[in-house]
Amino acid sequence: MKLLRLTALLILTTLLAACATTPPPAAIPAEIPKPKVALVLSGGAARGFAHVGVIRALEQEKIPIDLIVGTSVGSLIGAIYASDRNSFELEWTAFQLEKDSLFDYGYFTAITGMGLAEGAKLEEFVKTKIPTANIENLKIPFAAVATDLNLGKRVVLNKGSVVKAVHASSAIPGVFEPVQHQGRLLVDGGVTDNIPIDVARELGADIVIAVDISENVENHNITNLVDVMLQAVNIMFNENVLSHRNNADVLITPAVGKVAMLDFTQKKQCMQAGIEATQRSMPEIKAKLADWRPKGGS
């Protein structure tokens, strides 16, 4: 009996000693909050190749992109990147893109329809380059901006078909037929919001990096109906941008003002302009990220 009591006493003493010498577990540090960074890509037809350069430069500098919002060609480039998060694949896809990949002009469509091109080629291009069917399943949250032609209101497409969203957002009035989608008759988002910074804010963005490719609407090479429509749209889009562009935290403006709306021969130059403009803005981008504090934080 004494032996049992002695053994129990030794065990108790050992446990007490262990408790006395073992430090309390270290507190797990709270995770440092990070800002939600949105990339907003404006419309501008062939000038949109500059968006590819912007994305490549951001990726190289490891700038996070948590949300992409695009209008017109910005929705096309943005959706392709959101599906794969790979700027090199995006660049390769962009180099394959030609005017004939998007525009299916037809005499019958022009006479009987509401535009010169039906948009089937554009849809087929998107379908072949983006295997993900629905926006909700893209690797990066994404929204395309279109315009309700009946109501004259901006429409944010962040659910449902990727193909239809990009088509609707890119349906330049008069050039493409309007798109029936989600119970609305939709045309190019640039009609109401060609640089949808406010949409990014509404979707929860803390820091907005916006890319404006609407610089310089001057064009002295207008020779046909399509040229007239595109120039009129370009002027409208540019005026639209002027009232919104300063709402961005960082505004990137690639030097693509001399590139015509349908000049697909300047891809490399546009991409390089996007890279260079982003590199110039990189100190400002990094400063915004470093200085960001959550609301209510010190």
Side-chain angles (χ1 to χ4, degrees):
M1 196 65 153
K2 288 183 180 180
L3 182 59
L4 287 175
R5 280 200 291 266
L6 182 59
T7 302
L9 183 61
L10 287 172
I11 293 172
L12 182 60
T13 303
T14 303
L15 289 173
L16 289 173
C19 291
T21 57
T22 302
I28 299 174
E31 186 176 347
I32 299 173
K34 295 179 181 179
K36 182 176 182 178
V37 180
L39 178 64
V40 172
L41 305 175
S42 71
R47 294 177 177 182
F49 291 108
H51 292 324
V52 179
V54 170
I55 291 171
R56 181 174 176 180
L58 291 173
E59 190 177 271
Q60 286 177 337
E61 292 290 334
K62 295 181 170 51
I63 302 300
I65 300 177
D66 305 305
L67 169 68
I68 298 175
V69 182
T71 291
S72 201
V73 70
S75 75
L76 173 60
I77 300 298
I80 294 171
Y81 185 67
S83 72
D84 195 38
R85 276 188 183 269
N86 189 321
S87 66
F88 291 101
E89 283 297 322
L90 173 64
E91 187 172 332
W92 174 246
T93 298
F95 272 118
Q96 297 175 64
L97 182 60
E98 299 292 343
K99 191 189 304 183
D100 290 340
S101 304
L102 306 178
F103 297 94
D104 48 359
Y105 297 125
Y107 178 78
F108 184 77
T109 303
I111 296 299
T112 64
M114 293 186 284
L116 301 178
E118 183 180 341
K121 277 192 174 183
L122 170 58
E123 288 201 7
E124 184 61 27
F125 181 84
V126 176
K127 192 179 298 183
T128 58
K129 302 305 177 185
I130 302 177
T132 306
N134 291 321
I135 292 173
E136 301 95 310
N137 298 325
L138 294 172
K139 291 183 179 179
I140 302 174
F142 168 78
V145 174
T147 299
D148 187 316
L149 187 60
N150 296 120
L151 301 178
K153 293 184 178 181
R154 182 190 71 190
V155 176
V156 179
L157 302 170
N158 60 350
K159 294 179 180 179
S161 169
V162 175
V163 170
K164 286 295 183 183
V166 171
H167 183 185
S169 181
S170 306
I172 302 169
V175 177
F176 285 104
E177 287 198 318
V179 179
Q180 287 281 359
H181 182 52
Q182 296 183 352
R184 297 183 176 96
L185 188 64
L186 302 176
V187 294
D188 198 303
V191 174
T192 49
D193 197 348
N194 198 41
I195 189 164
I197 296 164
D198 292 344
V199 173
R201 301 280 188 207
E202 291 164 11
L203 294 176
D206 298 305
I207 294 177
V208 176
I209 301 169
V211 186
D212 178 15
I213 54 173
S214 67
E215 176 193 26
N216 184 15
V217 297
E218 185 175 340
N219 183 359
H220 297 285
N221 188 30
I222 300 172
T223 60
N224 55 52
L225 176 61
V226 174
D227 289 343
V228 172
M229 288 190 294
L230 285 172
Q231 178 63 1
V233 166
N234 195 21
I235 293 168
M236 176 176 60
F237 286 6
N238 183 63
E239 291 298 314
N240 180 308
V241 165
L242 291 176
S243 62
H244 293 90
R245 66 200 301 248
N246 292 330
N247 294 334
D249 294 290
V250 180
L251 183 69
I252 299 174
T253 54
V256 291
K258 294 182 180 180
V259 178
M261 292 278 279
L262 292 184
D263 186 357
F264 282 65
T265 68
Q266 305 293 313
K267 297 174 189 175
K268 188 172 181 180
Q269 292 86 338
C270 287
M271 290 181 196
Q272 186 60 34
I275 291 171
E276 292 173 357
T278 308
Q279 289 172 339
R280 288 193 298 271
S281 298
M282 196 56 64
E284 184 182 5
I285 293 170
K286 290 183 176 180
K288 291 288 184 181
L289 291 172
D291 294 343
W292 179 83
R293 298 291 182 273
K295 290 181 180 179
S298 56

